[in-house]
Amino acid sequence: KAGVTQTPRYLIKTRGQQVTLSCSPISGHRSVSWYQQTPGQGLQFLFEYFSETQRNKGNFPGRFSGRQFSNSRSEMNVSTLELGDSALYLCASSPGDGYNEKLFFGSGTQLSVL
Amino acid sequence: AQSVSQHNHHVILSEAASLELGCNYSYGGTVNLFWYVQYPGQHLQLLLKYFSGDPLVKGIKGFEAEFIKSKFSFNLRKPSVQWSDTAEYFCAVRFGTGGFKTIFGAGTRLFVKA
């Protein structure tokens, strides 16, 4: 079974640009979560989607948005990039949206904003 | 706001030493608790989890954790570490109603000297 796939692996953008990151969950998984990982901050929760609906959102500005498609694939978009958006963006999938779900992580997209 | 605190950001141990990593969370309702590990160059993966029942849970590679509800703590332990335990360890809490989210601590980097 293929794991969680994130593309691209690396991205370099300049301030003010926008970026779209993609995540393909494990086959059969219907829930996708996004996290921002930076040194010393750990993983900051961005949002969680289940069956194309955003079920939960973290404390990030509106420049951060996402969506989930009918095949469970998900995209995350960041508009008007700032230097502080440089981070590793991780996607995680799980079978459903249950209380006891464990997360399966992808390798992440390393975003550098210059 | 809900949060997860990990007491140590960096830990250096010699092989065969005992390990205890602290984790406290703030949330008044029912939670599920996890420890995830990220070995160098690898994805985040589940180490162990607590859902209910015996508060002492055992995970892979000889790790265990104890849930103390009155202290809102879920500390990770291993009696004798190995060089291969060098990794970053994340405590996580999953909670919610009608839509769940998993939030993570800032992580603890463990380095085991051979």
Side-chain angles (χ1 to χ4, degrees):
Chain A
K1 215 175 197 181
V4 178
T5 304
Q6 291 187 246
T7 57
R9 186 71 181 89
Y10 299 95
L11 263 178
I12 300 176
K13 292 286 187 179
T14 57
R15 279 182 299 174
Q17 288 187 306
Q18 74 164 22
V19 66
T20 299
L21 313 181
S22 180
C23 172
S24 293
I26 292 172
S27 177
H29 284 194
R30 294 195 293 162
S31 179
V32 172
S33 303
W34 288 90
Y35 292 86
Q36 181 193 67
Q37 185 178 15
T38 53
Q41 297 273 344
L43 281 72
Q44 301 292 311
F45 175 76
L46 281 155
F47 15 70
E48 179 166 340
Y49 287 88
F50 177 76
S51 292
E52 302 178 67
T53 301
Q54 187 181 92
R55 301 298 294 270
N56 245 307
K57 192 176 189 307
N59 298 322
F60 279 81
R63 300 185 296 107
F64 291 81
S65 63
R67 57 180 176 169
Q68 187 181 32
F69 302 95
S70 57
N71 61 358
S72 293
R73 192 177 70 84
S74 178
E75 287 182 348
M76 191 191 94
N77 185 75
V78 188
S79 62
T80 320
L81 284 166
E82 300 177 0
L83 295 178
D85 296 333
S86 294
L88 179 67
Y89 290 87
L90 292 171
C91 168
S93 74
S94 61
D97 71 341
Y99 185 46
N100 58 356
E101 301 281 328
K102 75 174 191 181
L103 303 179
F104 295 81
F105 283 87
S107 297
T109 294
Q110 184 68 54
L111 172 64
S112 297
V113 182
L114 307 178
Chain B
Q2 304 87 5
S3 64
V4 178
S5 299
Q6 292 185 235
H7 306 163
N8 312 95
H9 294 297
H10 293 91
V11 173
I12 301 174
L13 295 172
S14 297
E15 276 194 314
S18 64
L19 170 71
E20 180 158 2
L21 301 182
C23 172
N24 286 88
Y25 66 93
S26 65
Y27 181 71
T30 306
V31 296
N32 282 345
L33 300 160
F34 305 81
W35 276 95
Y36 286 84
V37 60
Q38 188 170 33
Y39 297 103
Q42 295 187 25
H43 301 180
L44 269 160
Q45 58 187 279
L46 183 70
L47 194 58
L48 50 77
K49 61 191 179 193
Y50 170 80
F51 294 155
S52 63
D54 189 345
L56 185 63
V57 294
K58 296 190 185 299
I60 60 173
K61 302 187 179 184
F63 285 90
E64 63 179 33
E66 184 177 13
F67 171 49
I68 303 179
K69 190 174 181 180
S70 60
K71 295 185 178 181
F72 298 90
S73 70
F74 190 55
N75 293 352
L76 180 70
R77 299 195 291 251
K78 186 171 183 178
S80 175
V81 296
Q82 300 173 310
W83 175 79
S84 58
D85 294 325
T86 294
E88 190 160 16
Y89 294 81
F90 293 90
C91 181
V93 173
R94 184 166 177 87
F95 59 93
T97 53
F100 299 97
K101 64 180 180 181
T102 303
I103 62 172
F104 288 77
T108 297
R109 286 184 182 269
L110 171 66
F111 180 73
V112 180
K113 298 183 290 185

